[in-house]
Amino acid sequence: MWINVKFFASLRELMNRAETRVELPEGGSVEDVWLAATDGREQPANVLAAVNMEYVDFSAPVSDGDEVAFFPPVTGG
């Protein structure tokens, strides 16, 4: 299955790209998407994930055609 991946803010800079596409076997999770999209890079602390614009845990399942977004926590004052 194919997953569309987007990186935002400082993660975009860290990965040196805003988006990519990865292929995973059926039954994959958000964590599997992270590992495939980052070539196995350890995930920074407090990274948030969303599948199809809904916040999820890294254990959440993904399906063919999903969009998975990774971004740092939002801060503000």
Side-chain angles (χ1 to χ4, degrees):
M1 65 181 170
W2 287 95
I3 308 296
N4 299 308
V5 184
K6 293 188 175 189
F7 298 105
F8 290 94
S10 60
L11 292 177
R12 179 184 313 155
E13 295 170 16
L14 182 66
M15 300 305 161
N16 207 22
R17 62 180 177 250
E19 52 188 86
T20 190
R21 194 167 188 224
V22 297
E23 186 175 18
L24 293 178
E26 293 292 326
S29 68
V30 171
E31 183 174 4
D32 296 325
V33 173
W34 172 268
L35 292 172
T38 65
D39 297 323
R41 183 183 295 230
E42 185 176 328
Q43 102 190 38
N46 299 323
V47 168
L48 300 174
V51 174
N52 300 325
M53 298 196 297
E54 291 193 27
Y55 289 112
V56 296
D57 292 326
F58 273 68
S59 61
V62 292
S63 300
D64 187 46
D66 279 351
E67 177 185 88
V68 178
F70 296 104
F71 46 97
V74 176
T75 61

